[in-house]
Amino acid sequence: MDVNTILDSLNDAQREAVTQPLGSSLILAGAGTGKTRVLVHRIGWLIQVEGVSPWSIMAVTFTNKAAAEMRGRIEQMLDMPVRGMWVGTFHGLAHRLLRTHWKEADLPENFQILDSDDQLRIIKRLMQALGLDETRWPPRQAQQYINSKKGEGLRSSHIEPGYDLFEKTMYSVYAAYEENSRLLGVVDFAELLLRSHELWLKHPELLAHYRERFQQIMVDEFQDTNAVQYAWLRMLAGDKGNLMAVGDDDQSIYGWRGARIENIRQLTCDFASAKTIRLEQNYRSTSTILKASNTLIANNPDRLGKELWTEGNDGERIRVYAGFNEVDESRFIAARIQDAVNGGMALSDIAIFYRSNAQSRVLEESMLRSSIPYRIYGGQRFFERAEIKNALAYLRLASNQDDNPSLERVINVPARGVGEKTVQQIRDVARSGGVSMWRAAREMVKGKGLTARATNAVVSFIELIEGLSLSSSDLPLDELADHAINVAGLIEHYQKEKGEKGHARIENLEELVSACKQFDPDAVFYDKMQQNLSPLDAFLAHAVLESGDAQADQFIDSVQMMTLHSAKGLEFPLVFMSGMEDGLLPHRMSFNDSGKLDEERRLCYVGMTRAMKNLYLTYAESRYLHGKETRHHSSRFLREIPSDLMEEVRLSATINTEMSNASLSLGHAEMAEIGLSLGQRVTHEVFGDGTILNFEGQGAQARVLINFDDEGGKWLMVIYAKLTPLSVNGICC
Ligand code: ATP
Ligand code: MG
């Protein structure tokens, strides 16, 4: 392969970055300017022209998938397999080091890695042993404390707890956790990095070996590194190593997890000779998308500043759609996806983004209903999430107490003092008696087989389920779900998990209540048999089916659905950003904190700059959120985008074809009663004249969709809208 292959497809600034003499550099550039491309080509250049051995290159990427792609691209460019090069995430690379040097790292040879659930379980147990009351000292909080200290590079021995009760308590848990991990020979995610950093501190000979080996270090998405990651890189590079860091301060979106944007500035101090190269030409998006993104992000203070431009054409305007509610919003997205597919687009070229995981449910349902294969990128489907499975297990038990897996799942979630030993006893009795665990448990609490404490705990569980079972015949489905989640203590349980994760779980539980409220067994009968089911059983069947194998496997062409956070680094010809509402994006928790609001704006910027050709920003005027109908304003970020770059998608002046005949005639009768008809011209005090396009709901809930001549489509409540008819030429009369 000749050098030209490496350089041909680069612009001048990119070429300068790729061909610079050996040394350190910072490539600071906006989205879609070819940073990742430069990194890949630089590696090709180093190997091909500088004669650097792949053996001496380490490249750090954001995900394992990105690592695999990078390796593939390098091999394709060089037309040969590249062996010996280390490409991976920080965690992956640190893990590799520890596996190789387990002895020096003071680990058993077969040390196990704890995922975050395992870690939490251990912390919980230790806190119980320390006599700490869970309600006062939530284990999640301790987990977060431990991980953030590790992220800052601090062991418990580095901490001086002082007299503060919180610090002292957290410190004691941290110390106990460290001791326990040592005894068990286990390592959590944060530990991987901290320990490999310490490995080098304690073993200068090893550090010297790796410094000698990895003289070329490349890091993508540098803006999202935390303190230990930076220290680790800094150490490895030493004074002689060559570090190429590639990043964009405008795309720093992990501040909440300890990422430090300041690392960019720190790098230019620590590597004084590092050359800073800026790339300004964007190759990804149309100039409309780019202009809109640039204008949005210009509202952030303290940017390192850059101007992006493109030679690309204007492309189409950004489409904004205001859904009447989230179901309408998601149906709109599904319909547009179908249009795109009919126009010849591959599903894998289409992405839907949302701010929080809970938003995926309604979107997933729309995809299923329209038979559009989809994948949730880097995440779980709604009904497979742990908190949802826990809530469903309670509902299942309310319906059928003999459901052993559900009983096993939640008999001690939240913790109510039913230990593993008791569960085993119940299991044994059930098995030997050939009865369900529920029946076994009920018999056992009458006898003397269990300790007094265990008996009390099991009795309280039995009473809880019996209560739910009774309620299940009286309460409507959504109220039953809400009641079950609350009396089972799940909300309280997850409230104790401080931070983003706990919050997300509660949001998901509230979303489950919304799902119950919106559930219409008639609309989802997959099977005629299910028509005779109670609403609860129909819903449970629906949940099982939804969590089944409907998620397209990776080889099937499918729409990519993901949170904005996991969209980083990716690009798609067609992007839908849903939930563009104040309260979702920006998230309501950022309203009173300008730093957080800036991070939300960066998140919005990351989302918009993923779009290559077409971008849709959609929102819902009302949505079920946290279990109740909430009315949101459209996102303030929409108002920061120049209006001439956007166009509101109006529903065409025909009656919504999705409306069934039944609802049409219902709407018709109702409308006639209030003196309105479809197609009728009306005037509104504020919005002016418009045409009635659609109608939903009854009585006080009745709403009409009006296409206003100046303002576009709006859904209005009939009782408040004070509409004055202009003529009576309804197209459907
Ligand atoms: P992000 O900030 O989102 O991570 P990035 O700066 O890493 O973006 P890349 O993903 O490397 O950008 O490139 C964006 C798109 O532009 C890719 O499709 C890439 O192939 C294309 N591209 C980059 N440079 C050029 C070029 N000189 N000529 C043609 N296409 C290019
Ligand atoms: Mg990139």
Side-chain angles (χ1 to χ4, degrees), residues 87-99:
V87 191
T89 61
F90 275 112
H91 289 130
L93 297 170
H95 176 224
R96 189 165 174 178
L97 266 178
L98 295 180
R99 283 272 171 234

Side-chain angles (χ1 to χ4, degrees), residues 124-164:
K124 216 181 240 182
R125 227 185 38 229
L126 290 170
M127 291 176 80
Q128 273 166 6
L130 286 171
L132 293 170
D133 175 10
E134 244 191 62
T135 46
R136 173 130 192 243
W137 303 105
R140 280 275 168 196
Q141 198 176 27
Q143 182 182 31
Q144 210 176 23
Y145 176 91
I146 292 171
N147 290 343
S148 80
K149 289 294 176 214
K150 288 188 179 188
E152 290 165 32
L154 299 174
R155 292 271 175 216
S156 62
S157 56
H158 298 133
I159 299 169
E160 182 44 70
Y163 297 101
D164 182 78

